[in-house]
Amino acid sequence: MLEMTPDEENLSEPAGFTLIELLMAMTIFSFMLLIIVRGFMNIVRMHNEAVASNQAQDSARTALDEVVLAVRDSGGVTKAQPGLLCLDSTMGQPQQYYLDKTTNTLNRADGCGGIPLNMHQITSDAVMVSDFDPVIETTGPGVKKDQVRISLT
């Protein structure tokens, strides 16, 4: 009787994976990887949007804080109309806060009326200011300063 040697036995049985099995495994792995990468990209996009939103809110809050402090420290409000707020200064030149419609930013400058001097942008470019509407609210005869209601959108 003929017996097979161990080397001949291995040749009769297939070893490893077939090409079809490898292609199927690669296809499944590729789809799983695609789903994972897509999810990661969405997380990164949402994170970037949240960071940009936080920066815009911080810039707007800082600008409003500056305007509020300027109103408190001023000698009074001389002019308040949509897009413009003029403040008397207790020391030095009056200041104006105005909306620049070309850049949609809130700015501060020395002087009120005429050509503004020492212009300074107080909101970042990330904040698109579409409306700056200061309104003087007279509170009564015993009050030394009028109040200013400011809306910024």
Side-chain angles (χ1 to χ4, degrees):
M1 182 153 181
L2 255 178
E3 287 193 30
M4 298 177 95
T5 62
D7 290 338
E8 292 174 347
E9 286 179 16
N10 288 342
L11 292 177
S12 64
E13 294 180 17
F17 298 105
T18 65
L19 183 59
I20 301 288
E21 291 171 334
L22 287 175
L23 287 174
M24 289 302 293
M26 287 176 55
T27 303
I28 292 170
F29 178 74
S30 296
F31 280 125
M32 288 174 39
L33 189 62
L34 179 69
I35 291 169
I36 291 170
V37 168
R38 190 114 169 137
F40 181 73
M41 288 174 58
N42 283 336
I43 290 171
V44 168
R45 181 186 51 81
M46 289 187 316
H47 171 74
N48 289 340
E49 288 174 358
V51 166
S53 175
N54 286 341
Q55 287 175 342
Q57 287 176 2
D58 286 344
S59 178
R61 187 177 302 113
T62 302
L64 276 178
D65 288 345
E66 181 177 333
V67 173
V68 167
L69 185 63
V71 169
R72 285 183 186 156
D73 293 342
S74 73
V77 179
T78 58
K79 186 188 239 181
Q81 65 188 36
L84 177 66
L85 174 66
C86 291
L87 304 173
D88 271 343
S89 176
T90 55
M91 55 187 143
Q93 288 189 327
Q95 286 190 331
Q96 66 174 320
Y97 290 85
Y98 64 95
L99 174 62
D100 186 350
K101 293 282 189 182
T102 57
T103 60
N104 288 338
T105 57
L106 190 61
N107 299 299
R108 177 189 71 225
D110 290 336
C112 197
I115 299 172
L117 305 171
N118 300 326
M119 293 180 284
H120 177 69
Q121 180 177 325
I122 61 173
T123 55
S124 71
D125 293 330
V127 178
M128 300 291 290
V129 181
S130 59
D131 185 33
F132 174 59
D133 190 18
V135 177
I136 299 174
E137 294 180 348
T138 306
T139 54
V143 177
K144 295 180 182 177
K145 267 192 190 177
D146 292 334
Q147 294 182 355
V148 179
R149 181 173 37 91
I150 300 170
S151 67
L152 182 66
T153 55

